[in-house]
Amino acid sequence: FPYTTLFRSFALFMAILNAFEEFFWPAVAPTFFNIAMIVSTLLPANLLPVSGETLAWGVLVGGVLQVAVLLPRLKALGFWPRFSLRVDWGPCRRVFYNMGPGLLGTGLMQMTVLVNSNFVSSLPEGSPSYIAWADRLLELPLSLVAVSLGTALLPRLSQLSAEKKWSDFNLTLLENLSLTFFLVLPCALALYFLALPIVQLLFQHGHFNLSDSNIVAQIVQIYALILISSALGRVFITAFYASQNTWFPAVAAVVSLTLHVLMAPILMHRFGLNGLVFSTFLSGAISFTILWVGFQVLILRLSNRIFAKQIFKSCLCSLPTLAILAISSRFYDETAPMWQRIAHFLVAGGIGGGIFLAVGHWLKIPEYENTFKKILRRRARKSS
């Protein structure tokens, strides 16, 4: 129970540091929580009276650590936490006013999970586990790309919105949309064409057999389609929040959930588990479309021609990778020894990724050039 307070404190401290464009320590802090949890699992099971109690203490210690590592940076910025009985209700009311619709949107995301749990319970045994395993593979690139970029993007867009610099706001948003698409496109291609090798390497052991791998791989392939719309949609949600509009993303979430509830039973009746997952894809694509149109109507008209040009270049850049992955998937043998399946995955993924980067450099795609220039500059600063 004390961890709930620790986690809320961590979220507040992380928000303060992000507002000052400090992202390293907030990103690293959860690592200390994970270390505490891993250590707690390695302790003897009979160390404490109740079996599993060491895990509970691991949560508490991890919560303390991930808060503690942020305190030095807060102190350096002059935001050392202190208690006070004086409260300025003006800013608090503004926060609660903006937070309300955001809570509704987050609650609806949890409602989607509950709705899917209800739907999937009527499907054959094992279906909830199949979706859970596939969801883990979807969340990895989403967290690495969309969530990370969104965290770094919010303070910048918020500053531009507050200063009414809408031309810079437009340019910054388009750059991040293009960068997000450029980064998630190869991830989506890899998830689609290497779905079975990835699932086999990660999950196929014990009672998890080849038939289970094929089912999860089919779900992962649909999730590969979800990845692009979800990643771009999260960028738009960040832009709405930066513009002090938290209610429209909630509206998009309501429409998306409603359509999902209506479509899922129909598609499940026809396609079973894949129908439920495809309904999730359709509702997510509709939610992204609503966010795209709504942003341009309510906030700012984007330079869609520029964005379309960047998308075309990224798609052109991915064509050789698409060909490599498509060809490699035809030669994949799911019954081959483990070392051959690992080699197939590494060779196909390595060649496909290498060609994608090489073509990006050859076409001088801005997202590629800018990203790698930043990496090279950071290495130069570290070496000096």
Side-chain angles (χ1 to χ4, degrees):
F1 179 73
Y3 174 71
T4 59
T5 299
L6 291 168
F7 184 76
R8 287 195 295 268
S9 301
F10 168 71
L12 174 62
F13 298 162
M14 179 177 65
I16 294 172
L17 292 176
N18 286 346
F20 285 90
E21 299 190 1
E22 297 244 357
F23 305 108
F24 177 77
W25 284 110
V28 171
T31 305
F32 293 88
F33 175 84
N34 292 333
I35 292 174
M37 287 299 300
I38 292 172
V39 171
S40 68
T41 64
L42 300 177
L43 295 175
N46 58 354
L47 182 64
L48 297 175
V50 179
S51 177
E53 190 175 341
T54 53
L55 293 175
W57 284 105
V59 170
L60 187 58
V61 172
V64 171
L65 290 176
Q66 73 175 0
V67 168
V69 296
L70 300 185
L71 291 177
R73 290 305 306 154
L74 288 171
K75 185 176 181 180
L77 293 171
F79 283 91
W80 183 264
R82 59 184 182 275
F83 292 99
S84 175
L85 296 178
R86 298 179 59 186
V87 179
D88 185 353
W89 289 107
C92 291
R93 280 194 297 267
R94 189 163 61 252
V95 168
F96 283 122
Y97 175 79
N98 291 329
M99 189 173 66
L103 288 174
L104 174 63
T106 304
L108 287 170
M109 291 174 61
Q110 301 306 314
M111 281 295 297
T112 302
V113 175
L114 293 175
V115 168
N116 278 346
S117 299
N118 181 59
F119 282 142
V120 81
S121 64
S122 63
L123 294 173
E125 184 179 2
S127 297
S129 298
Y130 295 146
I131 288 183
W133 285 315
D135 187 64
R136 293 181 186 181
L137 296 178
L138 172 67
E139 288 299 325
L140 177 61
L142 268 181
S143 300
L144 288 175
V145 178
V147 176
S148 300
L149 286 176
T151 301
L153 180 63
L154 181 59
R156 178 60 178 161
L157 288 184
S158 298
Q159 179 184 0
L160 294 174
S161 175
E163 297 173 354
K164 308 298 182 183
K165 295 181 178 179
W166 296 113
S167 59
D168 292 339
F169 189 104
N170 188 352
L171 180 61
T172 303
L173 179 57
L174 285 174
E175 287 178 349
N176 278 269
L177 284 170
S178 300
L179 179 60
T180 300
F181 185 81
F182 179 76
L183 293 176
V184 299
L185 182 58
C187 296
L189 292 175
L191 279 180
Y192 187 88
F193 288 104
L194 299 179
L196 184 56
I198 293 173
V199 172
Q200 281 193 301
L201 293 178
L202 292 178
F203 304 128
Q204 188 173 313
H205 54 81
H207 293 288
F208 195 106
N209 56 34
L210 179 58
S211 175
D212 299 321
S213 292
N214 282 310
I215 295 174
V216 176
Q218 291 176 4
I219 299 174
V220 170
Q221 287 182 321
I222 300 175
Y223 275 176
L225 305 176
I226 296 175
L227 176 59
I228 295 176
S229 62
S230 296
L232 294 177
R234 293 194 182 193
V235 176
F236 270 110
I237 290 174
T238 300
F240 271 107
Y241 287 172
S243 306
Q244 303 295 308
N245 184 324
T246 56
W247 64 267
F248 192 81
V251 171
V254 170
V255 175
S256 174
L257 177 60
T258 303
L259 292 175
H260 178 56
V261 171
L262 295 175
M263 291 187 298
I266 300 172
L267 294 174
M268 286 171 58
H269 179 72
R270 182 73 180 273
F271 302 106
L273 179 59
N274 287 342
L276 174 61
V277 181
F278 193 70
S279 175
T280 304
F281 160 68
L282 290 177
S283 59
I286 292 170
S287 175
F288 164 70
T289 303
I290 293 173
L291 291 170
W292 173 282
V293 175
F295 185 85
Q296 300 192 76
V297 172
L298 299 173
I299 309 297
L300 180 66
R301 179 73 177 178
L302 295 176
S303 302
N304 293 317
R305 183 176 298 179
I306 297 176
F307 183 48
K309 182 179 179 181
Q310 299 304 324
I311 286 182
F312 175 76
K313 285 187 175 181
S314 295
C315 291
L316 187 63
C317 178
S318 68
L319 286 179
T321 301
L322 173 64
I324 291 294
L325 294 178
I327 294 172
S328 69
S329 65
R330 291 183 173 274
F331 291 96
Y332 180 72
D333 182 6
E334 64 269 16
T335 61
M338 173 65 78
W339 70 268
Q340 290 185 12
R341 286 184 273 130
I342 293 176
H344 180 98
F345 170 74
L346 293 177
V347 171
I351 294 176
I355 290 177
F356 183 82
L357 295 177
V359 175
H361 178 68
W362 179 61
L363 292 176
K364 299 188 182 300
I365 293 181
E367 292 75 27
Y368 174 89
E369 297 292 318
N370 294 339
T371 300
F372 278 85
K373 283 180 181 178
K374 289 179 181 179
I375 294 174
L376 292 175
R377 283 199 298 266
R378 288 181 180 178
R379 286 189 174 180
R381 285 199 299 266
K382 289 181 180 181
S383 61
S384 60

mmCIF file of all heavy atoms in Angstrom, residues 283-318:
data_model
loop_
_atom_site.group_PDB
_atom_site.id
_atom_site.type_symbol
_atom_site.label_atom_id
_atom_site.label_comp_id
_atom_site.label_asym_id
_atom_site.label_seq_id
_atom_site.Cartn_x
_atom_site.Cartn_y
_atom_site.Cartn_z
ATOM 1 N N SER A 283 -11.182 -0.204 -34.790
ATOM 2 C CA SER A 283 -11.566 0.863 -33.859
ATOM 3 C C SER A 283 -10.381 1.788 -33.592
ATOM 4 O O SER A 283 -10.545 3.006 -33.452
ATOM 5 C CB SER A 283 -12.094 0.270 -32.552
ATOM 6 O OG SER A 283 -11.117 -0.543 -31.925
ATOM 7 N N GLY A 284 -9.164 1.230 -33.534
ATOM 8 C CA GLY A 284 -7.979 2.059 -33.337
ATOM 9 C C GLY A 284 -7.714 2.962 -34.536
ATOM 10 O O GLY A 284 -7.339 4.128 -34.382
ATOM 11 N N ALA A 285 -7.907 2.416 -35.753
ATOM 12 C CA ALA A 285 -7.720 3.226 -36.958
ATOM 13 C C ALA A 285 -8.739 4.356 -37.020
ATOM 14 O O ALA A 285 -8.415 5.487 -37.415
ATOM 15 C CB ALA A 285 -7.827 2.331 -38.190
ATOM 16 N N ILE A 286 -9.972 4.064 -36.617
ATOM 17 C CA ILE A 286 -11.008 5.105 -36.594
ATOM 18 C C ILE A 286 -10.668 6.169 -35.560
ATOM 19 O O ILE A 286 -10.844 7.375 -35.805
ATOM 20 C CB ILE A 286 -12.383 4.476 -36.306
ATOM 21 C CG1 ILE A 286 -12.798 3.599 -37.495
ATOM 22 C CG2 ILE A 286 -13.437 5.548 -36.034
ATOM 23 C CD1 ILE A 286 -14.021 2.750 -37.236
ATOM 24 N N SER A 287 -10.168 5.746 -34.398
ATOM 25 C CA SER A 287 -9.773 6.706 -33.361
ATOM 26 C C SER A 287 -8.673 7.631 -33.867
ATOM 27 O O SER A 287 -8.725 8.853 -33.656
ATOM 28 C CB SER A 287 -9.287 5.959 -32.115
ATOM 29 O OG SER A 287 -8.798 6.855 -31.139
ATOM 30 N N PHE A 288 -7.678 7.077 -34.571
ATOM 31 C CA PHE A 288 -6.608 7.896 -35.140
ATOM 32 C C PHE A 288 -7.165 8.892 -36.152
ATOM 33 O O PHE A 288 -6.771 10.063 -36.179
ATOM 34 C CB PHE A 288 -5.553 7.007 -35.797
ATOM 35 C CG PHE A 288 -4.626 7.753 -36.713
ATOM 36 C CD1 PHE A 288 -3.699 8.646 -36.205
ATOM 37 C CD2 PHE A 288 -4.708 7.587 -38.092
ATOM 38 C CE1 PHE A 288 -2.847 9.352 -37.048
ATOM 39 C CE2 PHE A 288 -3.858 8.274 -38.934
ATOM 40 C CZ PHE A 288 -2.929 9.165 -38.416
ATOM 41 N N THR A 289 -8.091 8.442 -36.995
ATOM 42 C CA THR A 289 -8.683 9.337 -37.996
ATOM 43 C C THR A 289 -9.428 10.489 -37.326
ATOM 44 O O THR A 289 -9.335 11.652 -37.763
ATOM 45 C CB THR A 289 -9.642 8.547 -38.899
ATOM 46 O OG1 THR A 289 -8.937 7.458 -39.502
ATOM 47 C CG2 THR A 289 -10.214 9.444 -39.985
ATOM 48 N N ILE A 290 -10.160 10.176 -36.255
ATOM 49 C CA ILE A 290 -10.885 11.223 -35.524
ATOM 50 C C ILE A 290 -9.902 12.228 -34.928
ATOM 51 O O ILE A 290 -10.120 13.451 -34.991
ATOM 52 C CB ILE A 290 -11.763 10.591 -34.426
ATOM 53 C CG1 ILE A 290 -12.879 9.761 -35.053
ATOM 54 C CG2 ILE A 290 -12.358 11.675 -33.522
ATOM 55 C CD1 ILE A 290 -13.679 8.970 -34.051
ATOM 56 N N LEU A 291 -8.808 11.731 -34.358
ATOM 57 C CA LEU A 291 -7.808 12.630 -33.775
ATOM 58 C C LEU A 291 -7.173 13.505 -34.850
ATOM 59 O O LEU A 291 -6.955 14.705 -34.639
ATOM 60 C CB LEU A 291 -6.731 11.808 -33.053
ATOM 61 C CG LEU A 291 -7.164 11.097 -31.774
ATOM 62 C CD1 LEU A 291 -6.077 10.135 -31.311
ATOM 63 C CD2 LEU A 291 -7.476 12.099 -30.669
ATOM 64 N N TRP A 292 -6.873 12.906 -35.995
ATOM 65 C CA TRP A 292 -6.235 13.640 -37.109
ATOM 66 C C TRP A 292 -7.143 14.779 -37.582
ATOM 67 O O TRP A 292 -6.716 15.926 -37.682
ATOM 68 C CB TRP A 292 -5.943 12.659 -38.243
ATOM 69 C CG TRP A 292 -5.442 13.295 -39.503
ATOM 70 C CD1 TRP A 292 -6.187 13.943 -40.445
ATOM 71 C CD2 TRP A 292 -4.097 13.352 -39.959
ATOM 72 N NE1 TRP A 292 -5.390 14.391 -41.468
ATOM 73 C CE2 TRP A 292 -4.100 14.042 -41.197
ATOM 74 C CE3 TRP A 292 -2.892 12.873 -39.464
ATOM 75 C CZ2 TRP A 292 -2.945 14.273 -41.925
ATOM 76 C CZ3 TRP A 292 -1.736 13.093 -40.205
ATOM 77 C CH2 TRP A 292 -1.771 13.779 -41.414
ATOM 78 N N VAL A 293 -8.401 14.441 -37.859
ATOM 79 C CA VAL A 293 -9.338 15.446 -38.362
ATOM 80 C C VAL A 293 -9.662 16.469 -37.279
ATOM 81 O O VAL A 293 -9.685 17.688 -37.534
ATOM 82 C CB VAL A 293 -10.621 14.770 -38.886
ATOM 83 C CG1 VAL A 293 -11.654 15.816 -39.303
ATOM 84 C CG2 VAL A 293 -10.298 13.837 -40.054
ATOM 85 N N GLY A 294 -9.909 15.993 -36.067
ATOM 86 C CA GLY A 294 -10.272 16.893 -34.980
ATOM 87 C C GLY A 294 -9.190 17.895 -34.653
ATOM 88 O O GLY A 294 -9.477 19.067 -34.358
ATOM 89 N N PHE A 295 -7.939 17.469 -34.720
ATOM 90 C CA PHE A 295 -6.845 18.388 -34.420
ATOM 91 C C PHE A 295 -6.805 19.533 -35.423
ATOM 92 O O PHE A 295 -6.594 20.689 -35.057
ATOM 93 C CB PHE A 295 -5.504 17.638 -34.420
ATOM 94 C CG PHE A 295 -4.340 18.485 -34.005
ATOM 95 C CD1 PHE A 295 -4.041 18.651 -32.669
ATOM 96 C CD2 PHE A 295 -3.553 19.134 -34.943
ATOM 97 C CE1 PHE A 295 -2.973 19.446 -32.266
ATOM 98 C CE2 PHE A 295 -2.495 19.928 -34.566
ATOM 99 C CZ PHE A 295 -2.200 20.087 -33.220
ATOM 100 N N GLN A 296 -7.021 19.221 -36.682
ATOM 101 C CA GLN A 296 -6.957 20.251 -37.715
ATOM 102 C C GLN A 296 -8.173 21.169 -37.684
ATOM 103 O O GLN A 296 -8.099 22.322 -38.104
ATOM 104 C CB GLN A 296 -6.814 19.593 -39.089
ATOM 105 C CG GLN A 296 -5.549 18.745 -39.183
ATOM 106 C CD GLN A 296 -5.229 18.316 -40.588
ATOM 107 O OE1 GLN A 296 -4.739 19.091 -41.398
ATOM 108 N NE2 GLN A 296 -5.538 17.069 -40.892
ATOM 109 N N VAL A 297 -9.289 20.683 -37.177
ATOM 110 C CA VAL A 297 -10.480 21.518 -37.067
ATOM 111 C C VAL A 297 -10.426 22.390 -35.812
ATOM 112 O O VAL A 297 -10.765 23.588 -35.857
ATOM 113 C CB VAL A 297 -11.750 20.641 -37.055
ATOM 114 C CG1 VAL A 297 -12.986 21.492 -36.745
ATOM 115 C CG2 VAL A 297 -11.921 19.928 -38.387
ATOM 116 N N LEU A 298 -9.973 21.820 -34.702
ATOM 117 C CA LEU A 298 -10.038 22.516 -33.419
ATOM 118 C C LEU A 298 -8.767 23.272 -33.053
ATOM 119 O O LEU A 298 -8.840 24.302 -32.375
ATOM 120 C CB LEU A 298 -10.350 21.504 -32.299
ATOM 121 C CG LEU A 298 -11.675 20.757 -32.405
ATOM 122 C CD1 LEU A 298 -11.757 19.686 -31.332
ATOM 123 C CD2 LEU A 298 -12.843 21.728 -32.280
ATOM 124 N N ILE A 299 -7.617 22.777 -33.473
ATOM 125 C CA ILE A 299 -6.348 23.349 -32.999
ATOM 126 C C ILE A 299 -5.583 24.042 -34.117
ATOM 127 O O ILE A 299 -5.366 25.252 -34.086
ATOM 128 C CB ILE A 299 -5.457 22.257 -32.366
ATOM 129 C CG1 ILE A 299 -6.236 21.459 -31.311
ATOM 130 C CG2 ILE A 299 -4.217 22.900 -31.736
ATOM 131 C CD1 ILE A 299 -6.708 22.248 -30.124
ATOM 132 N N LEU A 300 -5.169 23.285 -35.111
ATOM 133 C CA LEU A 300 -4.236 23.827 -36.087
ATOM 134 C C LEU A 300 -4.307 23.030 -37.378
ATOM 135 O O LEU A 300 -4.341 21.797 -37.358
ATOM 136 C CB LEU A 300 -2.804 23.766 -35.526
ATOM 137 C CG LEU A 300 -1.666 24.296 -36.396
ATOM 138 C CD1 LEU A 300 -1.799 25.798 -36.593
ATOM 139 C CD2 LEU A 300 -0.321 23.965 -35.758
ATOM 140 N N ARG A 301 -4.326 23.732 -38.484
ATOM 141 C CA ARG A 301 -4.296 23.092 -39.798
ATOM 142 C C ARG A 301 -2.866 22.680 -40.125
ATOM 143 O O ARG A 301 -1.955 23.512 -40.198
ATOM 144 C CB ARG A 301 -4.800 24.070 -40.863
ATOM 145 C CG ARG A 301 -4.794 23.517 -42.270
ATOM 146 C CD ARG A 301 -5.886 22.506 -42.479
ATOM 147 N NE ARG A 301 -5.924 22.017 -43.857
ATOM 148 C CZ ARG A 301 -6.762 21.097 -44.285
ATOM 149 N NH1 ARG A 301 -7.634 20.575 -43.432
ATOM 150 N NH2 ARG A 301 -6.740 20.696 -45.531
ATOM 151 N N LEU A 302 -2.642 21.385 -40.312
ATOM 152 C CA LEU A 302 -1.299 20.873 -40.570
ATOM 153 C C LEU A 302 -0.967 20.949 -42.053
ATOM 154 O O LEU A 302 -1.845 21.016 -42.910
ATOM 155 C CB LEU A 302 -1.193 19.422 -40.104
ATOM 156 C CG LEU A 302 -1.343 19.169 -38.598
ATOM 157 C CD1 LEU A 302 -1.323 17.683 -38.318
ATOM 158 C CD2 LEU A 302 -0.239 19.870 -37.828
ATOM 159 N N SER A 303 0.333 20.924 -42.324
ATOM 160 C CA SER A 303 0.815 20.882 -43.709
ATOM 161 C C SER A 303 0.790 19.436 -44.178
ATOM 162 O O SER A 303 1.812 18.733 -44.180
ATOM 163 C CB SER A 303 2.226 21.467 -43.801
ATOM 164 O OG SER A 303 2.246 22.794 -43.329
ATOM 165 N N ASN A 304 -0.403 18.964 -44.546
ATOM 166 C CA ASN A 304 -0.578 17.553 -44.877
ATOM 167 C C ASN A 304 0.241 17.130 -46.090
ATOM 168 O O ASN A 304 0.672 15.975 -46.192
ATOM 169 C CB ASN A 304 -2.061 17.260 -45.122
ATOM 170 C CG ASN A 304 -2.890 17.400 -43.862
ATOM 171 O OD1 ASN A 304 -2.482 16.950 -42.806
ATOM 172 N ND2 ASN A 304 -4.050 18.029 -43.974
ATOM 173 N N ARG A 305 0.470 18.056 -47.013
ATOM 174 C CA ARG A 305 1.244 17.713 -48.209
ATOM 175 C C ARG A 305 2.687 17.367 -47.830
ATOM 176 O O ARG A 305 3.268 16.408 -48.359
ATOM 177 C CB ARG A 305 1.212 18.873 -49.192
ATOM 178 C CG ARG A 305 1.921 18.583 -50.505
ATOM 179 C CD ARG A 305 1.775 19.740 -51.474
ATOM 180 N NE ARG A 305 0.370 19.966 -51.819
ATOM 181 C CZ ARG A 305 -0.037 20.927 -52.623
ATOM 182 N NH1 ARG A 305 0.844 21.766 -53.171
ATOM 183 N NH2 ARG A 305 -1.323 21.071 -52.891
ATOM 184 N N ILE A 306 3.250 18.131 -46.901
ATOM 185 C CA ILE A 306 4.621 17.854 -46.454
ATOM 186 C C ILE A 306 4.692 16.497 -45.761
ATOM 187 O O ILE A 306 5.603 15.697 -45.993
ATOM 188 C CB ILE A 306 5.112 18.972 -45.525
ATOM 189 C CG1 ILE A 306 5.174 20.301 -46.282
ATOM 190 C CG2 ILE A 306 6.478 18.632 -44.931
ATOM 191 C CD1 ILE A 306 5.559 21.476 -45.408
ATOM 192 N N PHE A 307 3.692 16.233 -44.885
ATOM 193 C CA PHE A 307 3.678 14.962 -44.166
ATOM 194 C C PHE A 307 3.495 13.797 -45.130
ATOM 195 O O PHE A 307 4.147 12.749 -44.993
ATOM 196 C CB PHE A 307 2.557 14.977 -43.128
ATOM 197 C CG PHE A 307 2.495 13.733 -42.288
ATOM 198 C CD1 PHE A 307 3.632 13.218 -41.693
ATOM 199 C CD2 PHE A 307 1.291 13.077 -42.093
ATOM 200 C CE1 PHE A 307 3.581 12.069 -40.920
ATOM 201 C CE2 PHE A 307 1.222 11.934 -41.323
ATOM 202 C CZ PHE A 307 2.363 11.425 -40.738
ATOM 203 N N ALA A 308 2.623 13.957 -46.121
ATOM 204 C CA ALA A 308 2.418 12.894 -47.113
ATOM 205 C C ALA A 308 3.700 12.612 -47.885
ATOM 206 O O ALA A 308 4.018 11.455 -48.206
ATOM 207 C CB ALA A 308 1.292 13.287 -48.065
ATOM 208 N N LYS A 309 4.465 13.662 -48.171
ATOM 209 C CA LYS A 309 5.735 13.496 -48.877
ATOM 210 C C LYS A 309 6.721 12.693 -48.038
ATOM 211 O O LYS A 309 7.419 11.809 -48.555
ATOM 212 C CB LYS A 309 6.310 14.868 -49.220
ATOM 213 C CG LYS A 309 7.604 14.821 -50.008
ATOM 214 C CD LYS A 309 8.091 16.229 -50.325
ATOM 215 C CE LYS A 309 9.413 16.185 -51.100
ATOM 216 N NZ LYS A 309 9.907 17.555 -51.401
ATOM 217 N N GLN A 310 6.768 12.983 -46.730
ATOM 218 C CA GLN A 310 7.676 12.250 -45.856
ATOM 219 C C GLN A 310 7.247 10.788 -45.712
ATOM 220 O O GLN A 310 8.085 9.878 -45.659
ATOM 221 C CB GLN A 310 7.735 12.928 -44.483
ATOM 222 C CG GLN A 310 8.254 14.353 -44.512
ATOM 223 C CD GLN A 310 9.619 14.456 -45.154
ATOM 224 O OE1 GLN A 310 10.461 13.587 -45.007
ATOM 225 N NE2 GLN A 310 9.840 15.541 -45.896
ATOM 226 N N ILE A 311 5.934 10.560 -45.647
ATOM 227 C CA ILE A 311 5.438 9.190 -45.562
ATOM 228 C C ILE A 311 5.807 8.414 -46.830
ATOM 229 O O ILE A 311 6.222 7.251 -46.768
ATOM 230 C CB ILE A 311 3.907 9.181 -45.342
ATOM 231 C CG1 ILE A 311 3.580 9.591 -43.908
ATOM 232 C CG2 ILE A 311 3.318 7.810 -45.645
ATOM 233 C CD1 ILE A 311 2.108 9.562 -43.589
ATOM 234 N N PHE A 312 5.671 9.067 -47.973
ATOM 235 C CA PHE A 312 6.021 8.411 -49.236
ATOM 236 C C PHE A 312 7.499 8.020 -49.240
ATOM 237 O O PHE A 312 7.856 6.911 -49.664
ATOM 238 C CB PHE A 312 5.712 9.342 -50.410
ATOM 239 C CG PHE A 312 6.147 8.795 -51.736
ATOM 240 C CD1 PHE A 312 5.424 7.790 -52.359
ATOM 241 C CD2 PHE A 312 7.296 9.286 -52.359
ATOM 242 C CE1 PHE A 312 5.835 7.285 -53.590
ATOM 243 C CE2 PHE A 312 7.710 8.787 -53.579
ATOM 244 C CZ PHE A 312 6.973 7.784 -54.192
ATOM 245 N N LYS A 313 8.371 8.912 -48.764
ATOM 246 C CA LYS A 313 9.803 8.605 -48.727
ATOM 247 C C LYS A 313 10.090 7.439 -47.786
ATOM 248 O O LYS A 313 10.913 6.560 -48.092
ATOM 249 C CB LYS A 313 10.587 9.837 -48.291
ATOM 250 C CG LYS A 313 10.729 10.905 -49.369
ATOM 251 C CD LYS A 313 11.672 12.010 -48.912
ATOM 252 C CE LYS A 313 11.922 13.020 -50.009
ATOM 253 N NZ LYS A 313 12.867 14.078 -49.581
ATOM 254 N N SER A 314 9.425 7.430 -46.633
ATOM 255 C CA SER A 314 9.640 6.331 -45.682
ATOM 256 C C SER A 314 9.159 5.012 -46.268
ATOM 257 O O SER A 314 9.812 3.966 -46.094
ATOM 258 C CB SER A 314 8.914 6.630 -44.367
ATOM 259 O OG SER A 314 9.452 7.765 -43.727
ATOM 260 N N CYS A 315 8.011 5.038 -46.957
ATOM 261 C CA CYS A 315 7.513 3.816 -47.599
ATOM 262 C C CYS A 315 8.461 3.356 -48.701
ATOM 263 O O CYS A 315 8.730 2.154 -48.848
ATOM 264 C CB CYS A 315 6.123 4.055 -48.161
ATOM 265 S SG CYS A 315 4.832 4.286 -46.918
ATOM 266 N N LEU A 316 8.979 4.306 -49.469
ATOM 267 C CA LEU A 316 9.941 3.975 -50.515
ATOM 268 C C LEU A 316 11.202 3.362 -49.909
ATOM 269 O O LEU A 316 11.763 2.397 -50.443
ATOM 270 C CB LEU A 316 10.291 5.229 -51.313
ATOM 271 C CG LEU A 316 11.156 5.053 -52.568
ATOM 272 C CD1 LEU A 316 10.420 4.197 -53.589
ATOM 273 C CD2 LEU A 316 11.513 6.413 -53.165
ATOM 274 N N CYS A 317 11.612 3.909 -48.779
ATOM 275 C CA CYS A 317 12.792 3.405 -48.080
ATOM 276 C C CYS A 317 12.583 1.975 -47.590
ATOM 277 O O CYS A 317 13.523 1.186 -47.532
ATOM 278 C CB CYS A 317 13.112 4.341 -46.913
ATOM 279 S SG CYS A 317 14.508 3.836 -45.905
ATOM 280 N N SER A 318 11.343 1.630 -47.275
ATOM 281 C CA SER A 318 11.051 0.316 -46.697
ATOM 282 C C SER A 318 10.831 -0.774 -47.736
ATOM 283 O O SER A 318 10.747 -1.952 -47.380
ATOM 284 C CB SER A 318 9.815 0.409 -45.801
ATOM 285 O OG SER A 318 8.658 0.649 -46.574
#
